[in-house]
Amino acid sequence: MEHVTETPTVRTPAERFTGDVYLNLIEAPTEPAHLAVGLVRFTPGARTNWHSHAKGQVLYVTDGVGLVGTRDGGVVRITAGETVKCPPGEEHWHGATDTTLMAHLAVVVGDAKGDGTTWLEPVTDEQYTGALAAVGR
Ligand code: MN
C-alpha cells in the first residue's frame, strides 16, 4: 500500500473558476481505474465555471454551505454531510455561498485522456445572485 501523509494545496486556474478556490488532489486519474478525487475548498462567493463530466460526478460536502446549479434553473443548497450526484453530461456548477466557505470532495472517473471534465463559460454574477435568491438568501 501507499501511505500519503500530505498533498499540496494549489490554487485552481482562473480560466475555470471565479474567486479563490483551493484544491488538494488526493488521487489523479491514472491507470487502471482512472479514479480522480479532490478536496476542493471554495471561499465565499467562489464557484466553478459551468462544466460537465463525461461519466458523472459525486460531490460530498465536508464543510460549510454551498450551492449547485443546473441549466434548467435548478439550484440546491448543500451543507456538510450531504452528497450530490451529477449525471454524465449534465452541465452544472458548484460553489460557496456569498458569506460562507464550502468544501467538498469531488469524485470522478476519467479515461486515458484525463478526468473527463468539459469546462465551459463562467457563472455570471447575475446567475450566481439568482441562485442565492433561489435558495432564500
Ligand atoms: Mn462538477
Side-chain angles (χ1 to χ4, degrees):
M1 72 174 200
E2 180 183 1
H3 176 203
V4 179
T5 57
E6 183 179 321
T7 57
T9 301
V10 299
R11 284 280 304 273
T12 59
E15 63 269 25
R16 294 177 175 177
F17 293 81
T18 296
D20 293 328
V21 181
Y22 297 89
L23 168 69
N24 282 52
L25 186 60
I26 296 167
E27 175 72 359
T30 55
E31 292 286 345
H34 301 292
L35 174 69
V37 181
L39 173 63
V40 191
R41 297 175 170 114
F42 299 83
T43 58
R47 65 268 189 182
T48 67
N49 282 16
W50 289 98
H51 64 280
S52 64
H53 307 283
K55 299 178 182 176
Q57 181 181 49
V58 174
L59 302 174
Y60 178 77
V61 184
T62 58
D63 195 10
V65 185
L67 305 172
V68 181
T70 49
R71 292 288 192 187
D72 61 5
V75 184
V76 176
R77 178 183 186 272
I78 52 175
T79 63
E82 296 184 356
T83 301
V84 175
K85 300 181 182 183
C86 305
E90 182 177 70
E91 294 181 1
H92 67 279
W93 59 271
H94 18 117
T97 67
D98 57 340
T99 54
T100 307
L101 70 76
M102 186 274 286
H104 63 49
L105 285 172
V107 181
V108 299
V109 173
D111 58 24
K113 290 181 287 186
D115 74 358
T117 301
T118 299
W119 289 98
L120 302 166
E121 77 280 9
V123 174
T124 65
D125 288 344
E126 194 170 47
Q127 290 170 326
Y128 181 69
T129 302
L132 287 168
V135 296
R137 296 180 58 87

